[in-house]
Amino acid sequence: MQTYSVDENPYRYVYVDLTGRCNMQCRVCYRPEQDASDLDLAYFAEVCRRLPRPVVIRALGGEPTLHPELTGFISAANAYGHVFTLGTNGRRLADCDFARALVDWRDPEYDGRFGPFPFASFIDVSGGLAHDDVYEQLQGARCADVKSRALRNLLDLGYDRLALTAIIVRGLNEHVIPELLSLAREHTGIRAVHFRNLARVGRFLDTEPYRSEELLALVKGHLPGGGEGLRMHQRTPPEADQNCRDCCFRFVTEDGIHVGVIEFASERSVRCWYRGHLVPDTFELHPWFEHMVETAS
């Protein structure tokens, strides 16, 4: 697997596993073997210092809200100009006290460059807010109420850096696509909606994964005029010999919703130049999707 020193990072997005622990046993997890390891905060802060340019850091796990020093990671990223985004199943955010403490928290040194809230959150709502049958199949638990409470807590607190994410499984939950788009239209605090396919990794369900072009067509079918005329965000690879593999698409709808469509850990996305993964304790990065495939194998 190709690796890079963090000092020479070529990636725009850097995915970081804050902990191996999780409070769910999702059937579609690419990391089926959980462990109790937590990432060292001092190591992460040094990574943030050494990265040659600002990046988007996507904090994952396990479940990153279980790390006892979560706010320290946010502070370290912000201090060096990096955008900090939290990818979460939402279970802890369904607790009003936890959600309030996290949303109200501020590092005294935070300079406000990313707005009033120093981090963004991506909550998995693959079954929408009501479809327990979908959650039972994908996440092994009937947790629609948990997802609904997490979303309501954040919105009631005035949090406005929220994105909804969903794993779309062929023949199971395509109906959540219009539901999530409608939620984003109804709540200004929801800035983005991301859809991805189910990959053949981890606890894979035996169904044919969507390709990004198929998912894009499904999403556009729920937009005015079939989404015709929308401009896809163009990404330019950092090196001339690299090509975009069309494994993801991004655009903004007419009503201002940022939409992402992602082909997850497929053969063509495995060496995606856009997303890198931080290797703990090594000050090295490697391709995110390729790491996921190896982790799950």
Side-chain angles (χ1 to χ4, degrees):
M1 188 185 304
Q2 170 118 38
T3 61
Y4 300 89
S5 165
V6 296
D7 305 277
E8 300 174 340
N9 169 50
Y11 299 108
R12 312 289 176 82
Y13 278 66
V14 173
Y15 288 69
V16 180
D17 298 324
L18 296 197
T19 180
R21 294 177 291 135
C22 193
N23 49 11
M24 295 188 73
Q25 289 283 337
C26 296
R27 292 178 176 174
V28 294
C29 183
Y30 66 89
R31 188 175 180 171
E33 299 300 325
Q34 297 175 4
D35 57 60
S37 61
D38 287 344
L39 189 69
D40 180 68
L41 175 56
Y43 165 72
F44 175 79
E46 180 63 7
V47 168
C48 290
R49 186 190 70 81
R50 287 173 54 174
L51 286 166
R53 65 190 63 84
V55 300
V56 176
I57 290 173
R58 181 67 52 81
L60 301 172
E63 170 52 42
T65 60
L66 294 176
H67 198 297
E69 297 180 282
L70 174 59
T71 54
F73 285 87
I74 301 172
S75 291
N78 289 168
Y80 294 100
H82 306 299
V83 177
F84 189 94
T85 64
L86 180 68
T88 174
N89 60 35
R91 185 171 288 275
R92 293 204 75 191
L93 292 167
D95 180 317
C96 289
D97 291 337
F98 179 85
R100 181 177 294 105
L102 185 59
V103 169
D104 288 347
W105 169 84
R106 296 290 183 281
D107 185 320
E109 301 299 319
Y110 175 58
D111 61 10
R113 73 178 69 188
F114 303 119
F117 299 102
F119 67 99
S121 297
F122 287 68
I123 298 184
D124 176 273
V125 283
S126 296
L129 302 185
H131 303 288
D132 269 331
D133 56 326
V134 173
Y135 286 117
E136 192 164 32
Q137 290 196 59
L138 295 185
Q139 301 184 353
R142 300 178 68 83
C143 55
D145 181 61
V146 169
K147 308 288 186 175
S148 180
R149 282 188 282 119
L151 183 61
R152 185 171 61 248
N153 284 343
L154 292 179
L155 293 174
D156 287 350
L157 289 164
Y159 183 73
D160 67 354
R161 293 187 68 191
L162 180 60
L164 307 180
T165 69
I167 301 170
I168 303 300
V169 180
R170 193 181 299 274
L172 176 65
N173 66 334
E174 290 90 345
H175 55 277
V176 306
I177 294 174
E179 291 182 25
L180 301 191
L181 291 172
S182 293
L183 278 171
R185 293 188 190 101
E186 294 167 9
H187 300 282
T188 57
I190 302 174
R191 296 192 184 184
V193 183
H194 287 191
F195 303 101
R196 74 164 175 87
N197 69 330
L198 175 68
R200 296 182 185 273
V201 295
R203 304 184 184 106
F204 173 72
L205 299 180
D206 190 13
T207 183
E208 181 64 26
Y210 276 111
R211 290 175 68 83
S212 57
E213 296 91 343
E214 294 179 287
L215 265 183
L216 179 62
L218 285 177
V219 174
K220 290 174 71 173
H222 295 289
L223 299 176
E228 292 302 319
L230 286 172
R231 294 182 59 185
M232 300 295 117
H233 291 325
Q234 298 298 313
R235 291 170 171 162
T236 304
E239 298 179 14
D241 61 348
Q242 292 177 311
N243 295 312
C244 193
R245 300 168 183 265
D246 289 332
C247 54
C248 61
F249 299 96
R250 291 176 186 268
F251 60 90
V252 181
T253 66
E254 292 180 353
D255 40 10
I257 304 169
H258 290 253
V259 178
V261 174
I262 304 163
E263 190 175 302
F264 196 69
S266 64
E267 182 178 349
R268 66 175 172 173
S269 72
V270 77
R271 295 185 186 276
C272 175
W273 57 267
Y274 201 73
R275 301 171 175 87
H277 173 255
L278 177 65
V279 185
D281 304 319
T282 65
F283 294 102
E284 290 182 335
L285 301 147
H286 53 204
W288 167 233
F289 286 143
E290 189 173 4
H291 156 75
M292 290 174 53
V293 171
E294 290 201 1
T295 298
S297 62

